[in-house]
Amino acid sequence: MRISDFAVPDTLAACGALSLARQYQSPAITAHALRSWLWAEAFAEVDGIRNVDHELLYVAAVLHDIGTVGPFDNHTLSYEHAGGHVGVALTAGAGWEQPRRERVLEVIVRHNWPRVDPAMDAEGHLLEIATGLDISGARPDALPEDFRREVLAAHPRGALAAEFGACVLDQAARKPDTAARRLVDGGVVAKLAANPLETL
């Protein structure tokens, strides 16, 4: 398994998502988003999940944390809902029909669920387990070590643990009824620091 096995969608929406991410997010958060996409595609391969909308998965992965940055942070909505609405706006501009635009919102919101049934939402499930690996270190040995090393070399973790830890603490404090509070209560800050990807 290699990065080259997974082609970045050459579409207006995919290019726009990456452009937005690079403009508004820190390098560490954008690298996290790109690793999450690659982990998601790899999990689809090893778990035998078919019929994946690869463009939808890419756009959702690249934008899944954009609701944490100042210009898109919503004072009442959870960061995943805020980011999902950025995805809806972007894909509307790219000409997606409304049902598929709504799927971007669903996938981004569901990445913060404790579990997503792949039979209900393949892309939401893949993003949930991919971010589970990149943030909390879940299923670290499910993907080949050489592939994990290649992804980390291409998209280094940098200051992700400190940046995302501070971000989710802030979100939980300001919006205690959102998923950020559950993540904090579940020990996400310690999980970030102890993630085996940090020392691979």
Side-chain angles (χ1 to χ4, degrees):
M1 183 179 290
R2 304 282 306 205
I3 288 176
S4 58
D5 294 339
F6 307 112
V8 174
D10 184 16
T11 66
L12 186 61
C15 292
L18 184 58
S19 180
L20 273 181
R22 287 178 168 161
Q23 179 177 351
Y24 288 100
Q25 296 178 167
S26 72
I29 296 297
T30 299
H32 158 64
L34 293 170
R35 285 193 308 275
S36 296
W37 167 66
L38 287 164
W39 304 142
E41 290 285 2
F43 276 123
E45 192 70 26
V46 300
D47 291 346
I49 297 174
R50 306 289 179 242
N51 301 318
V52 174
D53 183 332
H54 296 282
E55 182 186 22
L56 168 64
L57 180 59
Y58 181 86
V59 170
V62 170
L63 296 179
H64 78 269
D65 282 334
I66 203 163
T68 65
V69 302
F72 300 116
D73 188 6
N74 185 292
H75 75 288
T76 57
L77 289 180
S78 65
Y79 73 85
E80 65 273 18
H81 278 87
H85 288 293
V86 173
V88 170
L90 173 83
T91 53
W96 289 21
E97 296 295 327
Q98 184 172 351
R100 194 161 178 243
R101 297 197 303 264
E102 293 298 324
R103 286 287 297 126
V104 179
L105 174 62
E106 288 176 348
V107 172
I108 292 177
V109 167
R110 289 171 181 169
H111 96 272
N112 259 354
W113 284 12
R115 183 182 179 278
V116 180
D117 182 351
M120 176 190 75
D121 182 351
E123 295 81 12
H125 167 76
L126 290 169
L127 189 57
E128 179 258 314
I129 60 174
T131 56
L133 168 60
D134 209 63
I135 296 297
S136 301
R139 295 182 66 191
D141 298 323
L143 305 179
E145 182 176 331
D146 286 348
F147 177 70
R148 284 179 278 143
R149 289 185 182 277
E150 183 188 13
V151 171
L152 290 166
H155 306 289
R157 292 180 72 79
L160 176 68
E163 283 190 27
F164 190 76
C167 170
V168 78
L169 284 168
D170 172 68
Q171 290 280 327
R174 291 190 291 115
K175 295 178 265 191
D177 296 327
T178 66
R181 180 78 261 163
R182 177 179 52 78
L183 293 174
V184 169
D185 291 345
V188 70
V189 174
K191 289 175 182 177
L192 276 160
N195 192 317
L197 297 177
E198 288 287 330
T199 54
L200 186 62

